[in-house]
Amino acid sequence: MTEYAVVGRRLPKLDAVAKTTGETVYLGDMKLPGMLHGKVLRSPLPHARIARLDTAAAARLPGVRAVITAADTPRVKFSFVEALADKYLLCTDRVRFIGDEVAAVAAIDEATALQALDLIEVEYDELPCVFDPEAAMQPEAARLHNGASNVAWEVHQEFGDLERGFAEADEVFEDRYETSRVCHCCLETQAVIAQAHQGGRLEVWAATQAPHTLKHELDRLLQLPPGSVRVHYPPIGGSFGNRLVADMKAPIAAILSRQTGKPVKIVNSRTEEFETARTRYPYLVTMKTGVRRDGRIVARAARVICDNGAYNDKGPSTVASAGVTFAAFYNVPNVRYDGYIVYTNKQPGTGFRGFGNPQVTFAGESQLDMIAERLGLDPLELRLRNANRAGEAAASGARPGTCPMAECLRQAAAKIGWQRRRELPPNRGLGLAAMLHTGAGARMYGYNSASAGLTVDEEGKVTLVSSVTDVGQGAQTVMAQIAAEVLGIGLDEVRVIGNDTDLTAYDLGAWGSRTTWVNGQAAREAALRARERLAQSVAAWLEAAPEDLEFQGGKIFVRGAPDRGLDFAQAARLTYTKRGEPISETGRFVDELGPTMKGWGDVYPTFSTACQAVEVEVDPETGAVRVLQAVAVHDIGQAINPMAAEGQVEGALAQGIGYALMEELLLDGGRAVNPTFADYKIPTFIDVPDPQVVLYSDPDPTGPFGAKGIGEPGLVPTAPAIANAIYHATGARLRSLPITSERLFTAMREQPAAPGPRRAAETPEPPGGASPDQRADGSGPDKLQR
C-alpha cells in the first residue's frame, strides 16, 4: 500500500466544528425578508374523484396571500423518467393516495395557513381501491391510471441458458420473501423556499441530493425556459435517497411565490413526513436457485414485484439496479431477472440507501443459508465456492476489476468467531451475509462524469469549486483531502465551495456511492493541473526541470534535494508577482462508457463487495432479539478518510438493524397508523452494538488514489445476516421483514420440538473431505475445488 500524507488519514470533517457548535444553518432555520408560509391540502381518501373544490372562504381569511389549485398550474405530468410521467403537481380531477396534493395556500404565518386549509371545501366521490400489488396486477383490478394494467413498468433480462441450467442442477430450490415499507427518518423533514423574481428567474433553496437534476425538473414542471432556475442547496440533515427527485412542494412554493411576489417556505411536519413523504419500496421476491450437490450454483432466477405506490418515481431505477447487481452477484453462469413495478393506492416509494439491492439481497442471502442446510454445507463454505473473483466475468458480462469477496468473507467469519457455531449457548446464533454493489454510481442515465475548478491565491490558499452534494457523509472533506494530497499541503489550506447551481458545473448528485469515484477524479485532475502550473512557474528559480519537483509537506523542492525548495505559499506569490500568472485550473472526469454502454454488464464502472457477520441473542419468552456483535468487512479500495468511511458503515449498520428488526410503516386502508416516532420504531444506541468495521484495502486502479464509494453498501447485507443468525439461534426462518418480536415469537411456537439447526450436522466436510486449505472458519486460504 502506498503511504500518503493526507489521503488515508483519519481527519475531522471540514464542517465538524460548525455542526457540533450549532453554527450550521439548515433550511428550516432560514428566513428571507417578507417570507410567507405555505401549506398543502392533501387528500383524506386513497382513491376518489374530486366532485367539487371551493377555495373562496380560505382566500378571504385575513393573512392569506394566495390559494392555488390545479387550475393555477401548467398541468404538466411529471415523473423522474419523463416517459413514465403520471403525476400533476396538484390533482386535477382525481386523488390516488391519502396525502395526494389537492390545493395549497400561502399566508403570513403557519397558523394562518393551517386555518386556511380548514376552510377549503372539497367533495369527493370515492373510487375502488387496490392496496395489494399482486391483486393490482390482476385484469379485474381497479385501474389507478389510464394504462392497460396497473403494471407501471417492467424489465426482463436473461443471461446464459436458464432452462438448461436448472435441468443440469442436482437440486432446485424456490422460496418467497417480502420486505417492508420503510421511512427514511431524516432528522430534517422535507422543506423548500422558493422566490420568483420579476425578470422570470426562479430561486429555490432546497435540501436536495441532486440540485442540478432538481433545476431541470422544475423547468419541466413549471414550463420555464432552460436556465430559469437557480438552486441553492444548504447543509442537509439526512437524506438516504429521500431527496433525489423533485417533491411537489418545490413547484407549489414557486407558484405561490409568483402569485404573491414574496418568497414562500413550505416545511413538512413530522407527521406529514411519515404520512406523505416517499418511502423505501416494498418488494415481493420469488427466488429460484439451482445447485449441484457440491454447492456450485448453476442457475438463478428472481421475480420481483415492487409496490410502486400511486405514482412513478425512482421505481424503474431501483428495480433495474437491483437486477444489475443480482445478475453479477456470485459466479453463476445462468441468470434471469424479472421485475414489475405495480401501482397501488398508497404513498409512492423512492430511492433508499442501497437502491433496491437490500431487498433482493435479503432474499438471496437468506435462501443461500437455507440451501446450505438442505445440502449439509456450511453457509460460509457455500459462499466461498461461488464468490466473485477479480477479473472474472459474470453472466451479465460485468467484470469486477477488484473484488476481494472471498477475503471479506473470511475476515468477517474470523472476527465473529465462526468456529463457535456449535458451542454457543441456547438462543444465541451467528449469521453472515455477503453483498455486491456499485462503487461508482451508474451509467444508466447516459452520463457519469464531473468537473471541478481549483484556484490557488497569492497567499497559497486553495479553493476548490466542486459540485459535490454533502449530505453529511463528508464529501467536501474527501474532495479537499484529494486536492491537498496532490498539492502536498495540509487539509487546513483547502476550502471547498459549492451549494449553488449557478456556481457549480452540472452533476448528477449524491447517490449510488458515486461521489468519491466520480467527483474525486475531477478534483484530482484540477489539482494536478494546478500542480503542473506551479511546477513550471518555479522550476527556473530552483534550477530544475518541472518534472523533477516534489510537492510535499507544504513545500516544493527538487527530488532528492529537499533543501533546494520553496514554501508552497512562496511559490504561489512568485507565480503571481514575477510571472503575472493566475493559478486557476479546471479538472474534468469523463466516463466514456456513459453514453455508449451496451448492456447490464456496463452499468457499474466498478464494484464494491462486503461481508457482515452478527451474533444475536433471542429471548424465548418474548421473541425479542438483541444484536450482541456486528462485524462489517467492506472492500473500499483506498479509504480517502477512514474515519468518515467507518462512520458511513456504522450508520448504515444501524439502519440495517432497524430494517431487519423493527421498522415498518403500517398502512390500514392506505392510511399510516404509526406516523410518529412514538409508534414507528427506529434503533437507538441500546439496540446497536459497537461494531467492528474493517475497511479492506484493495486499491481500485480506476478510482482516485484507488478509492471506491462506501455510502450505500453498509446497509445491503445487514438484514439477511441478522435473519440467518436468528435462524441459527431458534430454528425459525422468517422470510418477511421486519422480524419483530411478535412475529418471531409466533414462528418459534410453530417450530417442531426437534433440535434446532445447530444440533444438526453443522460445518460439515465438503464432498470428498476437507483439506486444511478448505476450512470454513475464516482461517484458510481460498483454494476451493471447483
Side-chain angles (χ1 to χ4, degrees):
M1 285 292 297
T2 304
E3 191 74 18
Y4 298 108
V6 183
V7 162
R9 302 300 176 184
R10 304 175 67 84
L11 299 174
K13 296 178 184 177
L14 298 178
D15 58 2
V17 173
K19 285 185 173 177
T20 54
T21 59
E23 181 183 332
T24 299
V25 177
Y26 293 94
L27 200 151
D29 304 317
M30 295 175 60
K31 185 175 182 180
L32 302 185
M35 188 174 75
L36 301 174
H37 294 266
K39 282 293 177 182
V40 178
L41 181 71
R42 299 179 178 277
S43 169
L45 299 173
H47 200 193
R49 295 193 186 280
I50 301 173
R52 188 177 73 87
L53 176 57
D54 188 345
T55 64
R60 290 193 298 268
L61 181 69
V64 171
R65 297 292 183 262
V67 183
I68 63 170
T69 66
D72 302 293
T73 71
R75 298 200 183 202
V76 174
K77 285 186 177 181
F78 173 78
S79 178
F80 176 74
V81 179
E82 288 189 64
L84 300 176
D86 56 6
K87 178 168 176 53
Y88 294 108
L89 65 94
L90 289 173
C91 296
T92 56
D93 62 346
R94 192 168 162 190
V95 296
R96 293 175 172 86
F97 76 99
I98 294 175
D100 221 345
E101 298 90 344
V102 176
V105 304
I108 58 173
D109 55 39
E110 186 175 2
T112 303
L114 289 170
Q115 188 178 355
L117 292 188
D118 290 337
L119 295 175
I120 297 175
E121 299 178 10
V122 190
E123 293 180 4
Y124 296 100
D125 294 332
E126 294 193 46
L127 294 170
C129 300
V130 60
F131 300 115
D132 178 84
E134 288 184 298
M137 296 175 73
Q138 301 307 309
E140 66 275 11
R143 298 283 188 272
L144 270 74
H145 298 273
N146 295 324
S149 75
N150 284 319
V151 176
W153 185 83
E154 57 189 282
V155 61
H156 308 278
Q157 287 281 354
E158 182 171 330
F159 305 99
D161 188 333
L162 191 76
E163 185 176 350
R164 187 180 68 183
F166 281 128
E168 292 176 352
D170 295 317
E171 303 283 350
V172 177
F173 304 98
E174 185 168 354
D175 301 282
R176 175 182 162 109
Y177 304 86
E178 183 173 1
T179 66
S180 57
R181 181 178 301 274
V182 177
C183 298
H184 297 77
C185 297
C186 307
L187 289 182
E188 179 188 26
T189 63
Q190 290 188 354
V192 66
I193 299 173
Q195 182 165 20
H197 296 287
Q198 289 186 353
R201 199 94 201 275
L202 174 64
E203 204 164 0
V204 173
W205 289 259
T208 173
Q209 294 174 243
H212 287 272
T213 303
L214 175 61
K215 179 179 71 172
H216 295 302
E217 289 171 339
L218 291 174
D219 282 342
R220 285 163 48 197
L221 274 160
L222 299 171
Q223 296 291 279
L224 298 173
S228 297
V229 179
R230 178 183 187 181
V231 176
H232 304 269
Y233 40 113
I236 298 174
S239 53
F240 315 117
N242 179 258
R243 308 176 195 273
L244 274 172
V245 181
D247 181 84
M248 292 302 108
K249 286 185 288 296
I252 288 170
I255 294 171
L256 289 169
S257 179
R258 184 188 299 161
Q259 290 206 0
T260 61
K262 302 288 186 181
V264 175
K265 181 178 185 179
I266 304 178
V267 181
N268 266 1
S269 68
R270 179 57 65 183
T271 300
E272 282 179 306
E273 191 84 354
F274 275 115
E275 292 180 337
T276 68
R278 293 157 293 191
T279 67
R280 184 188 289 280
Y281 291 103
Y283 280 15
L284 295 169
V285 183
T286 301
M287 188 71 63
K288 185 177 180 180
T289 302
V291 295
R292 296 196 180 120
R293 290 190 183 90
D294 65 0
R296 290 287 296 159
I297 304 172
V298 294
R300 213 174 184 204
R303 183 175 188 264
V304 171
I305 298 174
C306 168
D307 188 340
N308 195 36
Y311 298 103
N312 286 318
D313 190 276
K314 279 283 186 178
S317 301
T318 59
V319 170
S321 293
V324 170
T325 308
F326 174 76
F329 191 15
Y330 291 122
N331 192 2
V332 183
N334 307 292
V335 177
R336 182 172 177 85
Y337 182 83
D338 298 284
Y340 302 86
I341 300 171
V342 184
Y343 287 123
T344 60
N345 290 113
K346 302 175 186 174
Q347 65 199 81
T350 192
F352 197 140
R353 199 174 200 167
F355 236 60
N357 199 11
Q359 293 96 307
V360 176
T361 298
F362 168 68
E365 288 296 282
S366 295
Q367 191 191 48
L368 276 191
D369 263 39
M370 297 167 68
I371 290 172
E373 183 182 21
R374 292 159 177 166
L375 294 178
L377 290 173
D378 180 88
L380 172 63
E381 183 74 21
L382 178 61
R383 288 171 172 84
L384 286 170
R385 294 184 180 196
N386 294 282
N388 296 91
R389 314 286 174 185
E392 289 185 1
S396 65
R399 192 182 297 272
T402 60
C403 188
M405 182 180 290
E407 290 80 1
C408 291
L409 282 159
R410 287 199 187 89
Q411 284 202 21
K415 289 186 177 297
I416 201 70
W418 193 250
Q419 71 281 0
R420 299 181 295 121
R421 279 170 62 86
R422 292 182 181 179
E423 305 164 6
L424 290 176
N427 305 310
R428 283 200 183 186
L430 298 178
L432 57 75
M435 74 103 220
L436 192 72
H437 199 69
T438 177
R443 298 180 174 122
M444 62 181 63
Y445 303 125
Y447 179 86
N448 195 41
S449 303
S451 67
L454 186 143
T455 61
V456 183
D457 70 16
E458 69 282 3
E459 300 299 327
K461 300 297 183 182
V462 174
T463 299
L464 177 67
V465 181
S466 175
S467 303
V468 295
T469 309
D470 199 316
V471 295
Q473 81 279 43
Q476 290 191 341
T477 304
V478 167
M479 298 302 112
Q481 286 184 255
I482 289 171
E485 183 65 46
V486 171
L487 295 172
I489 58 178
L491 183 63
D492 57 349
E493 302 296 322
V494 183
R495 67 170 181 154
V496 182
I497 61 175
N499 300 90
D500 183 343
T501 57
D502 273 10
L503 178 66
T504 57
Y506 177 71
D507 187 70
L508 294 181
W511 54 267
S513 302
R514 69 183 295 276
T515 298
T516 296
W517 194 86
V518 176
N519 298 91
Q521 303 205 61
R524 184 171 183 269
E525 176 69 18
L528 283 169
R529 289 177 178 272
R531 174 177 168 142
E532 290 171 5
R533 182 171 295 279
L534 279 164
Q536 291 169 0
S537 174
V538 303
W541 281 293
L542 297 177
E543 299 180 344
E547 60 269 20
D548 291 333
L549 298 183
E550 294 279 356
F551 287 64
Q552 189 175 331
K555 295 182 179 297
I556 304 173
F557 57 87
V558 179
R559 186 178 297 111
D563 293 337
R564 292 173 56 196
L566 300 167
D567 288 341
F568 185 86
Q570 186 181 4
R573 283 194 295 273
L574 285 171
T575 303
Y576 277 91
T577 60
K578 300 300 183 182
R579 293 178 63 96
E581 290 182 1
I583 309 169
S584 179
E585 301 293 342
T586 299
R588 299 169 68 246
F589 167 69
V590 178
D591 186 345
E592 295 180 354
L593 274 179
T596 62
M597 75 165 199
K598 297 177 181 178
W600 278 16
D602 293 335
V603 171
Y604 294 157
T606 192
F607 286 87
S608 292
T609 188
C611 178
Q612 292 183 4
V614 300
E615 180 177 355
V616 303
E617 182 177 55
V618 179
D619 185 335
E621 300 301 320
T622 65
V625 178
R626 287 179 59 214
V627 181
L628 302 177
Q629 286 192 76
V631 174
V633 182
H634 280 260
D635 157 40
I636 189 177
Q638 165 70 58
I640 303 295
N641 188 320
M643 183 165 61
E646 289 167 6
Q648 286 289 291
V649 176
E650 289 169 2
L653 264 169
Q655 282 186 311
I657 289 171
Y659 188 42
L661 298 177
M662 60 191 75
E663 292 192 52
E664 181 175 20
L665 186 67
L666 299 169
L667 303 179
D668 183 6
R671 185 180 305 279
V673 299
N674 57 335
T676 69
F677 281 126
D679 298 306
Y680 183 100
K681 302 300 184 183
I682 62 174
T684 68
F685 285 111
I686 297 173
D687 304 301
V688 181
D690 186 12
Q692 299 182 61
V693 177
V694 178
L695 302 179
Y696 190 92
S697 187
D698 186 10
D700 189 318
T702 67
F705 295 101
K708 302 179 185 180
I710 190 60
E712 291 193 322
L715 175 63
V716 175
T718 312
I722 291 172
N724 291 337
I726 289 171
Y727 178 75
H728 183 232
T730 67
R733 170 63 67 180
L734 278 79
R735 297 176 177 86
S736 297
L737 294 179
I739 305 173
T740 62
S741 56
E742 295 88 349
R743 290 174 179 170
L744 181 54
F745 178 83
T746 301
M748 289 191 297
R749 289 297 177 267
E750 293 174 351
Q751 293 301 308
R758 74 161 56 90
R759 315 301 184 245
E762 202 175 281
T763 319
E765 293 184 352
S771 74
D773 288 339
Q774 293 174 312
R775 292 192 299 272
D777 63 357
S779 59
D782 184 26
K783 295 182 180 177
L784 302 177
Q785 297 181 7
R786 298 199 172 269

